[in-house]
Amino acid sequence: ARGRWAAGLGAALALTSASAMADCTTVTSQSIAFGTYSALSGTPIDSTGSVRITCTGSGLLGADNGVVSISAGSSTSFTNRTLVNGGQRLFYNLYTDAARSRVFGDGTGNTGTVGFSAGGGLLGGPSTATVPVYGRMPARQDVAPGQYIDTLIVTVTY
């Protein structure tokens, strides 16, 4: 069976958990939180999180293969995603790799998606794939103090 699952990602970049139909039954995440930001620091802030997909295949070779994509959020492009606090914006981005060389997106505009394989455990039992998400907030952004939030949509297609 093939399906498509989407959930909101927000409040300090935390994916909400929900159930999906067909073979992939659960999608959850580990939050991406950048912590306290100082405009005086010359070092970018890196953080990591993940998207976990649990699937059940039909037998030992019945794994579900799929793709994870992430929306641009409150930004109008993937170039600079933005965390928002009123009219203030704090730039950040998400990446598909630890080197932070490819923006995690929906496959358009030179962004990348990440494939996964899950399910097909012993006798078709469940198994989980973990897709890492790497975040980076550039240094030296002059913004007012406060809590900055973005809301993204994570889509799992299988």
Side-chain angles (χ1 to χ4, degrees):
R2 296 299 237 185
R4 186 173 172 105
W5 189 92
L9 186 70
L13 305 176
L15 175 68
T16 59
S17 172
S19 295
M21 294 173 33
D23 291 333
C24 293
T25 57
T26 308
V27 177
T28 59
S29 82
Q30 174 190 6
S31 297
I32 298 175
F34 293 101
T36 303
Y37 179 80
S38 171
L40 300 176
S41 174
T43 306
I45 298 174
D46 289 345
S47 185
T48 59
S50 63
V51 176
R52 293 173 45 101
I53 306 105
T54 301
C55 303
T56 53
S58 54
L60 292 175
L61 299 178
D64 287 300
N65 296 306
V67 174
V68 175
S69 60
I70 301 178
S71 73
S74 62
S75 178
T76 57
S77 80
F78 293 104
T79 304
N80 280 311
R81 286 184 168 105
T82 53
L83 295 167
V84 179
N85 178 358
Q88 294 282 310
R89 301 204 179 280
L90 189 56
F91 296 112
Y92 78 100
N93 223 325
L94 302 178
Y95 300 88
T96 61
D97 60 316
R100 291 164 174 80
S101 63
R102 183 137 197 222
V103 172
F104 208 140
D106 62 5
T108 63
N110 208 24
T111 65
T113 59
V114 176
F116 71 91
S117 180
L122 185 60
L123 301 177
S127 73
T128 300
T130 301
V131 174
V133 180
Y134 303 94
R136 175 167 284 165
M137 183 177 296
R140 301 192 191 271
Q141 298 182 63
D142 187 16
V143 294
Q147 183 175 359
Y148 289 76
I149 297 173
D150 194 7
T151 300
L152 306 171
I153 302 296
V154 173
T155 303
V156 176
T157 306
Y158 60 97

